[in-house]
Amino acid sequence: SAIAINASNSDDERAAAVTKAGVWVDTRETTLDLMTRALQGLSLDESEFAIRRAVAETGKLGRELLPALYAEKRQRVNRSGTIEYVAEGGDMEKVGGLEVMKKWLLERRELFHPRDTVGVELVPKGVLVMGVSGCGKSLSIKTIASYFDLPLYRINMAEIFSGRHGKPEWAFAQACRTMEAVAPAVVWFDEIEMGIASSESSGEQGRIFAYFLTWMQEKVRGLFVAATANRIDLLPAEMIRKGRFDEIFFVDLPHDGERREIFQIHLTRRGLDPASYDLG
């Protein structure tokens, strides 16, 4: 009941009331910003329920609540049937190679955090990662979400076209609107060339492609689109032109230096000392 505080009270008054009830409160601006972003897209009742449950488990009101708050949002999104919450994240230090992408993300990490001083046109909108199968595209997307401190959701195009959720173009539009409601987040389109193939496609796929292009230009701030593709030749020019995505990265087979780094990562994960091996 300590969490149900009059909304007219100031942040300091709310924090004092919760602290008086025996709950430790982290009032740092960065922490409050993270919790606010985690609750975006939930109703006031859903938000209060999520906070109550998380505080009951941890006895704290701070960063420790973030997993529980995202879990509440995950339940809402999963009810759609076309969107999957991806729980397993990634660590930038556990990705071998891809130095150009890492540098790009590092330079834009702060721009992605919503602040009034940052213009909408400067906030990153998304990336397209394409290249050879099995070379780390999916791992890169998971790492981006963790690096931005955001939840990762994957739109399941197989479910979109299954017919279980209505006409495919309606189900796809509904999934995009749901993602906008729970922003900020990273939304992942896996093998985008298979689900959203070409403007020349007739019928449902062509209409979905047209909607996707418009949505990419007009979607809300704070929703970062991460797409992966294996078949570069199937991607239409309208999708890969500059401006649709902030950047397009090509992931190729790792060279010798990257292979050495990948071996070091895997040896360390298994509790072994890379220095005791002849990595060359």
Side-chain angles (χ1 to χ4, degrees), residues 84-104:
E84 173 192 0
Y85 171 75
V86 182
E88 65 274 17
D91 186 346
M92 190 70 73
E93 300 302 319
K94 295 180 180 179
V95 177
L98 304 182
E99 297 303 326
V100 175
M101 184 188 299
K102 291 177 181 177
K103 182 175 183 294
W104 189 91

Side-chain angles (χ1 to χ4, degrees), residues 117-213:
T117 55
V118 178
V120 176
E121 69 280 358
L122 296 179
V123 178
K125 296 179 294 185
V127 294
L128 172 61
V129 184
M130 56 187 183
V132 182
S133 298
C135 288
K137 295 190 298 296
S138 297
L139 178 61
S140 301
I141 301 305
K142 295 174 183 178
T143 301
I144 290 172
S146 297
Y147 195 59
F148 285 155
D149 292 320
L150 292 175
L152 175 62
Y153 299 98
R154 177 166 48 203
I155 292 186
N156 190 332
M157 294 305 297
E159 281 294 318
I160 295 285
F161 284 103
S162 69
R164 288 189 288 267
H165 310 280
K167 292 184 177 181
E169 56 262 40
W170 184 90
F172 182 77
Q174 191 67 22
C176 292
R177 284 193 289 267
T178 299
M179 291 311 309
E180 288 189 306
V182 299
V186 176
V187 55
W188 178 14
F189 292 91
D190 195 18
E191 296 187 10
I192 194 171
E193 77 277 19
M194 305 305 294
I196 309 173
S198 173
S199 59
E200 298 177 359
S201 299
S202 59
E204 295 167 344
Q205 214 168 20
R207 291 192 292 271
I208 287 176
F209 178 79
Y211 180 88
F212 176 78
L213 294 184

Side-chain angles (χ1 to χ4, degrees), residues 14-56:
R14 294 180 196 146
V18 176
T19 303
K20 188 177 181 180
V23 177
W24 179 82
V25 181
D26 184 352
T27 57
R28 288 177 296 180
E29 184 177 352
T30 54
T31 301
L32 294 175
D33 178 58
L34 287 173
M35 289 194 292
T36 300
R37 294 164 64 195
L39 291 169
Q40 281 183 309
L42 300 178
S43 68
L44 289 175
D45 289 340
E46 290 171 334
S47 300
E48 184 174 345
F49 175 78
I51 294 175
R52 282 174 180 269
R53 186 173 64 176
V55 169

